[in-house]
Amino acid sequence: MNQSQTLMQYYPIGLIVICLIISVFASYIALDLPRLLLASRGKARRYWFMGGSLALGFGLWALHVIGTMAYRREGGAADYYLTALLSSLGVAILVAFACIGLSARREMSAAQMVRNGLLLGLGVCGTHAAGALALDQARIAYSPTLVCVAAVLTILVCVSMQILASRFRSPVSPLSRLVKAACSIAMGTIIAAVQYVGMIALRLSPLASVSTDEFEPNIYFWLAIGVAGWSILVLGIVMLCANFADRRIAQQVALNGSLIEAASDCIVVIDASGRIMEFNPAAERIFGHRREAAVGRFMPELLFTTLLGDSYREAIARYVRDPGDNPFGERTETTGMRADGTMFPLELTVTRIRKADPPILVAFMRDITERRRAEAALRESEERYRKLVHYSPDPVIVHLNGMILFVNSAAAVTLGAKEPEELMGRFLADFIHPDDREIAEIGLNTPPNRLSESGPAELRCYKLSGELIDLEVKSIFVKWNGRGVMQTIARDVTAKKQAAQTIRQMAYYDRLTGLPNRNLFLELVHGHLRQCAEGGAEAAVMFIDLDRFKTINDTLGHHVGDELLKAFSGVLASSMRKGDILSRIAGDEFLVLVPSTTESEASDIARTILSHANTPFMIEGHSLIVTPSIGISMFPKDSEEAEELIKYADAAMYRTKELGKNGYSFYDSNVRTISSREMQLEQGLHKALEQDEFLLHYQPRFDLHSGRMAGVEALVRWHSPEYGMVSPAEFIPLAEESGLIVPIGELILRKACEQNRRWIDAGYPPVRMAVNLSLVQFRQAHLVDRIEQVLRETGLPGELLELEITESVASQNERAVAERLQAVKARGITVSIDDFGTGYSSLSYLRQYPLDVLKIDRSFIRNLPHSSDDTAIVQAIIAMAHSLHLSVCAEGVETKEQLDFLREHGCSEVQGYYLSKPKAAEEIETILGTTIASRIESAS
C-alpha cells in the first residue's frame, strides 16, 4: 500500500448514502427549528431550544465521525483519541446552540443572517478539524487548496441556510412543507458533498509503530454505522415531534386567528414594551389604521393622546414587572384617538397571556360612543317621563267613572282654572258640549282592552269662563295609586282648526286680491257648465293678461305691481255681471266665467273691461295705465271641457297680443297655429344657437359736429333654414323669457368685436361698436369678466366698444348697477342709455351712474319738428344731457328736417334710415370713413 492514501479510497457507498440522509434530516431541522421556537412559548420553547440544538449538533458531529471511522487500510485500522473525538461533539453542540439561539430572533437583518451563517460555518469547520485531530497512529497531511474550498463552501452553505430559515418563519402550509423538504434535500446534498471535499483534502500516513492486533480491522466501521443509526433516530424523532407540533400550532393559530379576526371588539396584542404584534379588523375599522401600518408601532402612542400614552406606557411596564398588579383594573373607560385625530370614548381591558415568555399582553377595546349616547338618552328619557305628567304642555286628566281625580297644570290652564285643585272632584260631562256628550261617553266607557283600538276624538268643551274650545282627546288605561283609572291626554286644537280654515282659504282663494284661485275656479266652472248644458245655454271663458306688467314690476318694484293688481282686480269685478265668476290664477293673469251668455254679450263685457282699464291708476305717486289683452272661448262651440276652454282662451289671448295688445279675440282654428309657431320658434332658438344661424347687421352713427361716421350699432338677425328671416321683435322676447338671451347676447358681443377688429386690421378708420345688453344679461354675476374675456380674445380695445342698456336696467338696485358700470368703465368701455324717455324710472340715475351717451327714443323723433310736444321733450333731453356732460344720440332720423333740427339744438350723434339702413358687414366697409354730407347726397 502507498504511504499516503486519501480517505476517499476507503469509503463504502452505504456510508455515503447514510451521510446524505443525515445531512438532509439535519438541514430540515435547521430550517424549521427557528420557526418552531418563535411559535412556542414558555417551557415548550425551552424544550425545543435544548432538544433541537442537541439533535442538530449531534447530526453535524455524526457526519464527520462516520467519515473518519470508516477509514480502513490493509493490515489494520487506525486508532482514535476518544477524548478529542468527544470534544468535537461538544464543539458541534455549542455551535448548534449558538446558531439556533441567534436564528430565533423575531427581527433579523441581512447582516445578522450573514453573521450567523459565518459562525455556523466556522463551527462546522472546527468540528471537522477536531475530528481529524482525533485520528491516532496516522500522520495528517493537508491540501491547502481543497481545505480552503471546503471551508468557503461550508460557510456559504451555512449562510444560505440562515437566509432560507428566515423565509420559512411563516405559518405552516402544504406548499411551505413541500418547498422546505425540497430545500432540505438540496442543502443536505450540498453539505454531504462539502463533507467529502473536506475529506479529500486530508491525506493520512500510518506511523511506523502502529500495532494492529488490539481491534478488529472493521470495528470502527461498525461504530460509524452505530453513530449513523443513532443520528438518524434522534433526527427523525425531532422531525416527527416538529410535524406533530406543527399541527398543534397550526390548529391553535387558526383558532386564535379566526377568533381574533371575527371578534367584534378591538383586539390588539402587544409585547412587553407596548409594541403592537397583532391588530384585528375591528381595530382597523374603529381606529382607522391599517394592520400593516399599526404592527410594530407602540400602542400608547398610536391609539391615545400624548398624555394618556405616557401614562399607559408606565402602566404596561408595571404590569410586566408584576403580573399580580394590573393597573388597568377589570375594565377602564378612557378616550381613544382615531387616525384622523378625532377622539371617542373607549372601554379598555388589558390582560396578560399566562406562561408567555417574554410577556405578551392583550388589549380588548370597545367603542362606547353609542352606549354613551344611549345612556345619556336613557337618563334624559327617564327624567323627561318623570316630569311628563306634571310639566306636560298637553293637558293630562286622570278620572274614574267620569269624576276627575287629578289634572296637571296644562289641563288647569286649558279649562280656565287658576289651580288644578279647582277641577278635582268635578265630572268631565260638565265641561263637554251637549252635542258631543254621546261621543265622550263612548270614549269614557270603552273597555280597557279596546282603548288601543280607538283613535283620538275631537270634542267641543267649555272652559270655566264659558268659552268654547276644541279638544282632541285620547284615553288610556293606567294604574294610579294602586287602582285602574282612565288617563285622558287632551290637546287644544282650536288654533289648528282655525289654521285649517285659513289653509282652505289659501287653497281656494288668492292671497293678494281675495279672488277665487284656479282650484276654486275649476270647481265652480264644472258646476256652471253642467247647468248650462242641461239648460241648453252658452257660456264664455275669458283669459285676461296685463300688457307690459313685467316692466312695471322690474322698474317700480313688486310692491307697486301688487297694488296695481289689486286695483285692476277691483276694475274687473266692477265690470262683471251678477253670477259671473272672476279668478286670479297667477301673476297678472285672470280668468272669467260668464255663464248663460252669447258671443255678442261676451264682446260687450270685454269692451267694458277694456274701457274701465284705460283709466290711470294712482299707485304710490305713480300714474300708471295698463292695458289688458283678452282671449275668449265659447261653450259648447269650442269645447265642452273646462280645461280645454281655458287653454283655448289662453291661445286667443296670445292672438290678441300679436295683433297689438289692448283688445280681445275669440278662439278659432287659426289661433292654435299661431300659438304653435311661437312654441316652434322657441324650440328653434336652441338649434339656431348650436348651428350659428344668427348674423349681424350694422347701422352707422354719424357725429353732427364733425360730420364723420362715429360708429355702428350691431343688430342681430336670425336666418332660419326652416322659417326664413325671423324678425328680432318676434324672437328676442322668446329668448328673454327662456333665458337664451344670455348665450345669444354673448355670441352677438363676440361677433361684433371680431368684426370691428377685422375692419381695423384691414386699415379702415376705427369706429365704436355699439352692442345692446338686456336686463337678463346685466343681471349675470360674471358679466364684466365675460366682456373682458371677449375683448382679450378678439384683441379689440375697450375704447372701441359701447354697451347700450335700457332704463329698466338702470332702475335696478342702484348700488349693484353702479358697481357693475364702474367696472365696465374702468376698462375704457362707453356706456349709453338706449330708448331714453320710454321708461318708468326716476331720472336720478343719470347723475349717479357713470354714463356717456343718452339715446333719444325714435318715438320722440318721429314728429319733429312739427309736434310742439316732441320738440319740447327733445330740447329738454338735450339740455339736461349737456348739463350732465353727456352726449346725445337721436335714433330713427328719417328726414332732412329732423336732421337739421337736431343739429341746430346741439344733438351730438344721429342714426336712422335717412342716413343709412342696417347693412351687412361687407356693405358697411364701402361707407366706412364717409361723412353725413356724402350720405345725404347718396340718399338724394
Side-chain angles (χ1 to χ4, degrees):
M1 176 182 168
N2 295 333
Q3 294 296 315
S4 178
Q5 298 290 340
T6 62
L7 293 178
M8 288 301 298
Q9 295 174 351
Y10 299 98
Y11 281 125
I13 189 64
L15 289 180
I16 294 176
V17 173
I18 291 172
C19 285
L20 181 60
I21 293 172
I22 294 173
S23 296
V24 172
F25 280 21
S27 299
Y28 189 89
I29 291 174
L31 293 176
D32 200 41
L33 198 57
R35 181 188 60 79
L36 289 171
L37 288 173
L38 289 174
S40 302
R41 296 288 184 271
K43 292 182 180 180
R45 179 183 176 91
R46 290 193 291 271
Y47 292 156
W48 276 115
F49 181 66
M50 298 293 294
S53 299
L54 288 172
L56 182 60
F58 189 76
L60 293 175
W61 175 75
L63 286 176
H64 181 74
V65 169
I66 292 169
T68 56
M69 286 187 175
Y71 172 61
R72 294 177 291 118
R73 58 185 176 83
E74 295 180 3
D79 291 331
Y80 295 87
Y81 292 116
L82 291 179
T83 302
L85 194 61
L86 295 175
S87 298
S88 67
L89 173 61
V91 172
I93 292 174
L94 288 175
V95 170
F97 266 101
C99 182
I100 295 301
L102 293 173
S103 301
R105 294 182 176 179
R106 291 192 179 275
E107 302 291 338
M108 287 187 62
S109 63
Q112 290 175 324
M113 288 187 283
V114 172
R115 182 196 64 192
N116 294 348
L118 180 62
L119 176 62
L120 180 60
L122 293 176
V124 172
C125 291
T127 302
H128 284 299
L133 292 175
L135 287 173
D136 191 16
Q137 299 183 7
R139 185 176 292 110
I140 300 174
Y142 298 93
S143 170
T145 302
L146 290 178
V147 168
C148 291
V149 171
V152 171
L153 289 176
T154 300
I155 292 171
L156 291 177
V157 168
C158 292
V159 170
S160 301
M161 188 169 292
Q162 288 292 306
I163 296 174
L164 288 174
S166 68
R167 297 294 183 268
F168 290 114
R169 292 184 177 189
S170 59
V172 177
S173 64
L175 179 61
S176 67
R177 284 198 184 96
L178 182 62
V179 174
K180 192 184 301 180
C183 292
S184 301
I185 293 172
M187 296 300 295
T189 302
I190 295 172
I191 290 171
V194 172
Q195 161 75 14
Y196 285 100
V197 170
M199 296 310 297
I200 293 172
L202 301 179
R203 292 182 177 276
L204 307 177
S205 298
L207 299 175
S209 58
V210 171
S211 174
T212 61
D213 55 355
E214 292 185 16
F215 297 100
E216 292 295 328
N218 59 352
I219 186 67
Y220 290 107
F221 173 79
W222 291 109
L223 183 58
I225 294 296
V227 170
W230 276 104
S231 298
I232 293 173
L233 178 62
V234 171
L235 295 174
I237 291 172
V238 172
M239 290 178 65
L240 288 174
C241 292
N243 185 57
F244 177 75
D246 277 345
R247 294 181 180 178
R248 293 292 301 274
I249 292 172
Q251 293 175 355
Q252 188 63 38
V253 168
L255 177 61
N256 293 342
S258 62
L259 291 176
I260 291 176
E261 293 289 322
S264 59
D265 289 341
C266 301
I267 298 179
V268 181
V269 182
I270 58 176
D271 59 18
S273 64
R275 195 183 297 273
I276 297 174
M277 302 168 60
E278 187 56 61
F279 201 76
N280 75 335
E284 289 183 312
R285 185 174 59 255
I286 292 176
F287 284 99
H289 296 285
R290 295 186 60 82
R291 179 184 179 279
E292 296 79 6
V295 172
R297 298 185 64 179
F298 288 100
M299 184 189 76
E301 298 177 357
L302 183 66
L303 308 183
F304 301 96
T305 62
T306 303
L307 184 61
L308 279 176
D310 294 341
S311 174
Y312 288 161
R313 183 189 290 272
E314 296 175 2
I316 290 171
R318 190 163 71 251
Y319 193 20
V320 169
R321 290 194 302 270
D322 184 4
D325 177 21
N326 187 350
F328 295 96
E330 182 178 348
R331 187 174 298 168
T332 302
E333 290 193 2
T334 182
T335 301
M337 181 174 67
R338 293 190 174 93
D340 60 4
T342 58
M343 305 299 177
F344 65 100
L346 183 72
E347 185 179 85
L348 171 65
T349 302
V350 179
T351 61
R352 176 170 173 168
I353 298 179
R354 294 183 179 181
K355 301 181 180 179
D357 188 22
I360 293 179
L361 306 181
V362 180
F364 299 90
M365 289 174 279
R366 178 179 299 171
D367 185 350
I368 58 174
T369 303
E370 292 302 322
R371 190 177 79 187
R372 287 275 184 88
R373 289 176 182 167
E375 290 173 352
L378 180 60
R379 289 192 299 269
E380 181 181 350
S381 177
E382 290 174 350
E383 181 66 17
R384 182 171 63 250
Y385 283 109
R386 184 181 67 83
K387 300 178 179 179
L388 176 63
V389 173
H390 188 70
Y391 295 106
S392 172
D394 291 331
V396 178
I397 305 172
V398 178
H399 53 93
L400 179 64
N401 298 327
M403 187 176 72
I404 300 174
L405 302 177
F406 170 82
V407 295
N408 66 351
S409 300
V413 172
T414 300
L415 295 177
K418 294 181 179 179
E419 298 293 337
E421 288 75 13
E422 295 183 37
L423 302 175
M424 294 180 188
R426 302 187 64 168
F427 287 89
L428 283 176
D430 297 338
F431 297 91
I432 300 173
H433 191 280
D435 294 341
D436 294 343
R437 285 176 184 172
E438 184 177 351
I439 300 174
E441 286 294 331
I442 296 174
L444 293 174
N445 297 323
T446 301
N449 61 344
R450 294 182 57 192
L451 283 171
S452 60
E453 300 175 7
S454 62
E458 284 193 6
L459 302 174
R460 288 170 292 172
C461 297
Y462 292 103
K463 301 175 71 171
L464 290 178
S465 63
E467 179 185 350
L468 191 63
I469 60 175
D470 294 291
L471 293 181
E472 183 181 81
V473 298
K474 170 70 176 177
S475 296
I476 59 174
F477 183 77
V478 297
K479 287 289 186 179
W480 189 76
N481 290 340
R483 55 179 174 170
V485 297
M486 302 294 292
Q487 177 177 293
T488 298
I489 302 174
R491 179 173 298 171
D492 189 346
V493 294
T494 306
K496 177 182 175 182
K497 297 192 72 173
Q498 292 174 350
Q501 181 62 31
T502 302
I503 291 173
R504 174 175 173 79
Q505 179 74 16
M506 295 175 63
Y508 287 99
Y509 291 89
D510 176 49
R511 180 186 60 82
L512 180 65
T513 63
L515 296 174
N517 63 11
R518 185 186 184 93
N519 296 328
L520 182 56
F521 182 81
L522 287 175
E523 288 187 10
L524 297 174
V525 165
H526 286 300
H528 280 76
L529 292 182
R530 189 162 47 249
Q531 293 176 4
C532 290
E534 293 173 355
E538 293 182 284
V541 173
M542 297 183 178
F543 198 109
I544 304 172
D545 182 89
L546 295 183
D547 303 326
R548 292 178 60 83
F549 178 75
K550 185 175 182 298
T551 303
I552 296 175
N553 256 352
D554 291 341
T555 55
L556 302 182
H558 288 274
H559 62 289
V560 174
D562 290 345
E563 293 300 321
L564 178 60
L565 288 174
K566 288 193 288 185
F568 181 75
S569 66
V571 168
L572 286 179
S574 65
S575 305
M576 300 292 104
R577 306 177 310 175
K578 185 178 181 180
D580 295 344
I581 300 173
L582 172 62
S583 167
R584 178 185 177 227
I585 60 172
D588 59 340
E589 296 176 345
F590 296 83
L591 280 175
V592 178
L593 173 66
V594 185
S596 302
T597 190
T598 63
E599 285 193 15
S600 175
E601 293 172 339
S603 297
D604 292 339
I605 295 174
R607 284 192 291 270
T608 300
I609 294 173
L610 293 171
S611 174
H612 290 175
N614 283 331
T615 303
F617 295 94
M618 292 301 300
I619 308 294
E620 295 188 4
H622 300 278
S623 179
L624 303 175
I625 296 178
V626 290
T627 58
S629 293
I630 305 174
I632 307 173
S633 60
M634 296 300 298
F635 169 89
K637 172 188 172 184
D638 297 324
S639 175
E640 296 182 2
E641 299 295 329
E643 290 287 355
E644 286 190 350
L645 287 170
I646 294 173
K647 182 175 69 174
Y648 294 159
D650 187 12
M653 181 272 294
Y654 277 106
R655 170 76 176 275
T656 303
K657 286 185 176 293
E658 291 171 358
L659 296 176
K661 306 176 183 178
N662 192 22
Y664 68 93
S665 301
F666 281 91
Y667 173 78
D668 59 29
S669 58
N670 294 326
V671 172
R672 184 177 300 176
T673 304
I674 295 172
S675 191
S676 173
R677 171 178 169 82
E678 188 172 298
M679 182 184 67
Q680 292 170 355
L681 286 178
E682 183 175 346
Q683 297 299 319
L685 282 174
H686 293 272
K687 182 179 177 182
L689 191 60
E690 294 175 359
Q691 299 185 2
D692 195 15
E693 296 176 1
F694 296 103
L695 53 90
L696 297 185
H697 283 182
Y698 305 91
Q699 186 172 28
R701 286 165 51 178
F702 290 88
D703 188 328
L704 287 176
H705 298 294
S706 64
R708 296 177 181 176
M709 183 172 172
V712 293
E713 180 180 358
L715 303 172
V716 64
R717 299 290 185 265
W718 177 15
H719 187 269
S720 171
E722 185 175 356
Y723 306 110
M725 190 66 74
V726 183
S727 169
E730 191 174 7
F731 74 81
I732 289 296
L734 293 176
E736 290 181 339
E737 291 179 8
S738 63
L740 288 175
I741 192 63
V742 174
I744 293 175
E746 186 172 342
L747 177 66
I748 294 170
L749 177 65
R750 184 176 295 277
K751 283 190 171 186
C753 291
E754 288 175 349
Q755 181 60 59
N756 204 6
R757 181 72 252 182
R758 284 194 291 270
W759 286 337
I760 294 173
D761 293 341
Y764 293 105
V767 293
R768 262 195 336 269
M769 176 67 70
V771 179
N772 291 279
L773 285 182
S774 71
L775 174 62
V776 178
Q777 285 178 273
F778 199 81
R779 285 174 175 170
Q780 298 298 307
H782 304 293
L783 172 67
V784 178
D785 294 336
R786 294 289 179 85
I787 294 172
E788 186 174 22
Q789 181 182 358
V790 169
L791 291 176
R792 184 171 60 254
E793 293 176 357
T794 59
L796 182 69
E799 294 77 10
L800 296 181
L801 175 64
E802 178 178 324
L803 298 179
E804 296 186 2
I805 63 175
T806 63
E807 288 188 278
S808 61
V809 173
S811 64
Q812 299 299 303
N813 183 299
E814 295 182 357
R815 177 177 297 180
V817 172
E819 291 177 354
R820 198 156 294 176
L821 292 178
Q822 289 289 359
V824 169
K825 288 287 294 178
R827 288 154 178 82
I829 301 171
T830 301
V831 180
S832 62
I833 290 290
D834 194 17
D835 300 333
F836 183 77
T838 61
Y840 296 93
S841 60
S842 168
L843 300 179
S844 61
Y845 63 80
L846 292 178
R847 59 183 177 82
Q848 294 176 359
Y849 298 154
L851 304 175
D852 298 293
V853 181
L854 290 185
K855 297 190 70 175
I856 304 176
D857 186 68
R858 66 184 67 247
S859 61
F860 299 111
I861 306 298
R862 185 180 301 120
N863 297 320
L864 289 181
H866 308 292
S867 171
S868 58
D869 292 338
D870 289 342
T871 56
I873 291 173
V874 172
Q875 290 175 356
I877 292 175
I878 294 174
M880 178 182 61
H882 289 170
S883 66
L884 294 174
H885 306 290
L886 300 177
S887 297
V888 181
C889 177
E891 298 179 295
V893 177
E894 298 180 355
T895 66
K896 187 175 187 303
E897 290 82 359
Q898 293 170 354
L899 180 65
D900 293 338
F901 177 87
L902 293 170
R903 180 189 290 117
E904 179 182 350
H905 289 85
C907 184
S908 306
E909 296 179 2
V910 292
Q911 70 180 78
Y913 280 19
Y914 179 66
L915 299 175
S916 175
K917 295 181 179 180
K919 299 177 181 292
E922 297 77 10
E923 297 178 80
I924 290 294
E925 291 174 359
T926 63
I927 63 174
L928 279 173
T930 60
T931 64
I932 289 180
S934 61
R935 298 306 302 154
I936 293 175
E937 182 179 349
S938 63
S940 60

